[in-house]
Structure formats: structure tokens, C-alpha cells
Amino acid sequence: MNNVRTVSDTKRTFYALHTRPINTIYRRVVEELMVEMHLLSVNVDFSYNPIYGLGVVTTFDRFMQGYQPERDKESIFSALCQAVEQEEQRYRQDAERLRELAKSLPVNDLIAWLSQTTHLDRDADLQAQLQAIANNPNFKYSRLFAIGLFSLLELSDPELVKDEKQRNEALKNIASGLHLSEEKLSKDLDLYRSNLDKIAQALVVMADMLSADRKKREQRKQQSTTSVAPPSANE
């Protein structure tokens, strides 16, 4: 008997947990992330690791920027994690731990550590996870894991990830050290950065539309309260 959860099961669970409607511009973001997390969770080669956790949290936080009402974001993220039978707290705690670690390390040390050319006595759990990934020929790579790696670099040195040459060199070293496909890593991160730009542009357009709509309402209100002078007899 096949008891593997389906995408429909996961979506049903999510919408049972988060019952408020999701703004249209963000619904696709939430559902795509949900499907991606679901497909990984039922894959026999997949196992959770903190870098993946950071990738999930970063993706959610970046793409849900500007969501209104703000208070609904926590409910959406919690339902997302529970729908794939994971704990929200685990993701948030691991993401915060890795963020603090990345901010405290010089970027060259971080790259060397992620590339497995240097061992740092900073986080024994993460050190073990990196070694396990590098030594596992069946490691289930994912776009969300790539985003986790990129986030670590971005937190350590925001300028490095803006420089194409330095960014590509860092990703090449990390891919080599962890035995990942450099091509996949680069393609996934190029798409991620492109999508961030698109959502930023969409938010600007949405803000402009809301502002224009607000001005029109104010103008109509002023016109309705301003008495209109009768035409003069000479006209």
C-alpha cells in the first residue's frame, strides 16, 4: 500500500492550517515553494540540513517582502512547514544560527570552510553536515540548498556576490569541495537573483498603483465636497 503523501495532500493540509486568503501576487510564490518542499520531503535521497533550512527561510522572507497584512506571514510560514511535516522552529533556529555564523566569518574563511579545504572549530554540527554532503554520492541537491549557500556568502560579504567574477569563483570552489554540479548551482542562483529582481519590480508597480488609486479617491472626495459655482448669465 502506497502511503506517500501527494502534492494535493500537502496543499489540503496547508489551506486547512492557514485559512485566510493569500494576496494574489504572493499566492504563486507560496504554492511553488510548497510544491518544491513537498517533492523533496518525499524523495528517498533527501534529508534535511541547516543550509537547506536557511534556503527555505531566505526564499520565503525575500519573496514575501511587503506582504500585507504583515501578521499573516508567520501563519503562512508555519502552515508551510507543517504541511510537509516539518517544524517551523527548526527552520527558523537553524537559519538564525547560520546567519550569525556567516556574519562573524571573513568571507574567504567561509568559502574555504564550505569548500572543505579548511576545517573551522566554529560549529561542529555544520562541520559534520558539510562532510556528510561531500562524502555522499547520493546527496539530494536542490535549488533551496543553493540559495542557502548563496545566503551565507551574501551575509558574509554583500559586495562579493555583486561581483560576477568573485561570485563565480566562490561558487566554483564550493561546488568542487562539496561535489556538486557547478553548472546547476550557477543556473539556479542566476534564476533566483533574476526572480528577486522581478518581484522587486512587481512590488514597485503595485505600490505605484496603490498610490495612484489613493490619489484618485482623494481627488473625488475633494470634488464632492467643493461647491460648484453656477454659470454666469454672460456665458
Side-chain angles (χ1 to χ4, degrees):
M1 187 175 178
N2 187 358
N3 290 322
V4 176
R5 294 187 332 279
T6 64
V7 170
S8 296
D9 293 334
T10 293
K11 285 187 176 181
R12 199 177 304 114
T13 302
F14 173 84
Y15 287 109
L17 292 164
H18 181 78
T19 54
R20 286 172 60 83
I22 297 176
N23 291 351
T24 308
I25 192 172
Y26 297 95
R27 191 179 301 125
R28 184 177 170 189
V29 169
V30 172
E31 293 211 343
E32 283 185 357
L33 182 56
M34 190 192 315
V35 169
E36 193 168 0
M37 291 171 71
H38 167 86
L39 294 175
L40 286 167
S41 71
V42 297
N43 187 291
V44 68
D45 290 325
F46 174 77
S47 62
Y48 174 91
N49 64 75
I51 296 173
Y52 164 80
L54 174 62
V56 170
V57 172
T58 301
T59 300
F60 182 85
D61 289 348
R62 295 289 284 272
F63 285 101
M64 294 295 281
Q65 274 185 355
Y67 188 86
Q68 295 295 331
E70 173 80 22
R71 65 180 182 276
D72 277 10
K73 280 166 63 175
E74 202 52 52
S75 168
I76 293 170
F77 186 71
S78 178
L80 197 58
C81 295
Q82 290 181 67
V84 293
E85 299 183 347
Q86 293 285 328
E87 292 179 14
E88 170 202 1
Q89 193 176 18
R90 184 187 195 188
Y91 283 81
R92 288 288 184 194
Q93 286 177 348
D94 279 344
E96 187 56 32
R97 176 165 62 95
L98 264 58
R99 282 169 175 163
E100 291 303 316
L101 181 67
K103 288 175 188 175
S104 71
L105 282 174
V107 72
N108 288 335
D109 289 354
L110 178 67
I111 293 167
W113 193 26
L114 293 173
S115 306
Q116 291 293 279
T117 56
T118 303
H119 287 193
L120 298 177
D121 296 326
R122 293 293 297 273
D123 190 316
D125 174 60
L126 185 58
Q127 179 67 64
Q129 295 267 2
L130 290 169
Q131 287 178 314
I133 290 165
N135 296 328
N136 180 5
N138 295 319
F139 171 70
K140 182 60 182 171
Y141 165 84
S142 68
R143 181 187 73 100
L144 293 166
F145 179 81
I147 292 170
L149 289 174
F150 182 82
S151 300
L152 290 170
L153 294 175
E154 191 175 33
L155 289 160
S156 181
D157 187 346
E159 294 307 311
L160 179 139
V161 297
K162 293 175 186 173
D163 184 301
E164 186 179 4
K165 185 179 178 182
Q166 290 188 75
R167 183 179 68 244
N168 288 342
E169 186 64 27
L171 293 175
K172 180 181 178 181
N173 290 336
I174 292 168
S176 175
L178 294 179
H179 301 142
L180 306 174
S181 164
E182 183 191 344
E183 185 182 4
K184 275 187 185 176
L185 192 61
S186 294
K187 277 186 178 176
D188 282 342
L189 291 176
D190 283 346
L191 182 60
Y192 167 66
R193 290 167 57 247
S194 170
N195 286 339
L196 279 177
D197 288 341
K198 284 177 186 173
I199 198 120
Q201 289 164 12
L203 288 173
V204 169
V205 170
M206 192 165 68
D208 288 346
M209 287 170 64
L210 290 170
S211 177
D213 185 54
R214 190 162 55 245
K215 283 178 183 174
K216 282 181 184 175
R217 286 201 309 271
E218 287 170 0
Q219 285 171 353
R220 284 198 296 267
K221 189 177 178 182
Q222 285 177 347
Q223 286 168 358
S224 67
T225 56
T226 303
S227 58
V228 179
S232 65
N234 295 328
E235 287 183 355

